Amino acid sequence: MDLTTQVFNALSLYWYILPLFILPVVLKSAWFKGILGEFLVNLLLTKFLPKERYTLIKNVTLPTDDGTTQIDHIVVSEFGLFVIETKNMKGWIFGCANQKQWTQKIFKYTGKFQNPLHQNYKHTQTLASCLSIPNELIYSVVVFVGDSTFKTKMPENVTYARGCVEYIKSKQAVHFTKEEVSSLIAEIEEGRLTPSLKTNLAHNKHVKTIVESKAEPREITKQVYESKVK
C-alpha cells in the first residue's frame, strides 16, 4: 500500500473530525467577523427603519477610476443617503476624526487600523459622483459591533450598533421627493457591479494592490537607512 492510499484511507475514516479543527479558524478569521458584523447591522437597519421611508441596499461595489470601492450598506431616503461602514472589533478603541489611524487595545496587545471615517470618505465621494448629487446630501456613518469600547470622544456619526439607527433618524430635513428617491435607488442598482464571487475577488485584489503600494515607500526607506548604516 503506497503513501497516497494510506492518506486517503485515513481521511475517509476521520473526515467528520476535520470540521472541528476548521470551524474555530473560520470563526476567528477577519472574513467571518466582517460578514457577521454586516449581518448584524443589516438586521438592525431592517428591523428599526420604517420600510416606507428608508430603502436599504447591501454590499454595493461601484467602479472607480483606479478600480472599485465596496460599500457595506447604503440607506436611501427623502432625508438623504447614508453610507454605512461596519467594524466588528473588540477591546478599547482610541481615535478622533482627523487621525489617519486609530488604535485598538486588548489587554497587552496594541494595534493600529485605518481611520474608518477616512475609509468611508471615498465611498461617499464615489457615490456622490455616480449619482451627480451634492456631497452634503450623503452622510457617512461608521458602526462598531462586537465587544468594543470607545475610550476617546467620537464624532456623532461613529456609533455602536443601534446608535446608527438613531443617527439616521436624527436627520429630518427633506431633500428628495419620493420620485427622486425611486430614481436614486434605480441609479444605484444600475450602476453597481453584479454581486458575485468574481466581483468580490476583483475588489479584494484591488485593495491588496493599494495596501502593498502604500507599504513600498516604507520598505524603500528602510533599505536606504540600512545602506547608510552599512
Side-chain angles (χ1 to χ4, degrees), residues 157-184:
N157 60 331
V158 180
T159 75
Y160 298 115
R162 191 173 172 179
C164 70
V165 175
E166 304 305 323
Y167 175 79
I168 291 171
K169 286 184 175 181
S170 72
K171 305 302 179 183
Q172 290 295 303
V174 176
H175 299 295
F176 302 111
T177 64
K178 290 183 178 180
E179 291 74 20
E180 288 172 330
V181 169
S182 297
S183 178
L184 289 170

Side-chain angles (χ1 to χ4, degrees), residues 89-129:
M89 304 181 74
K90 61 181 180 179
W92 290 353
I93 306 298
F94 300 82
C96 66
N98 297 324
Q99 286 180 312
K100 289 185 177 181
Q101 291 187 315
W102 287 6
T103 301
Q104 176 190 34
K105 189 171 180 61
I106 307 173
F107 299 109
K108 294 183 179 181
Y109 166 82
T110 299
K112 299 285 185 180
F113 62 99
Q114 183 184 6
N115 181 340
L117 288 171
H118 292 184
Q119 182 180 357
N120 214 27
Y121 177 76
K122 181 178 181 180
H123 298 161
T124 60
Q125 297 299 298
T126 300
L127 190 60
S129 177

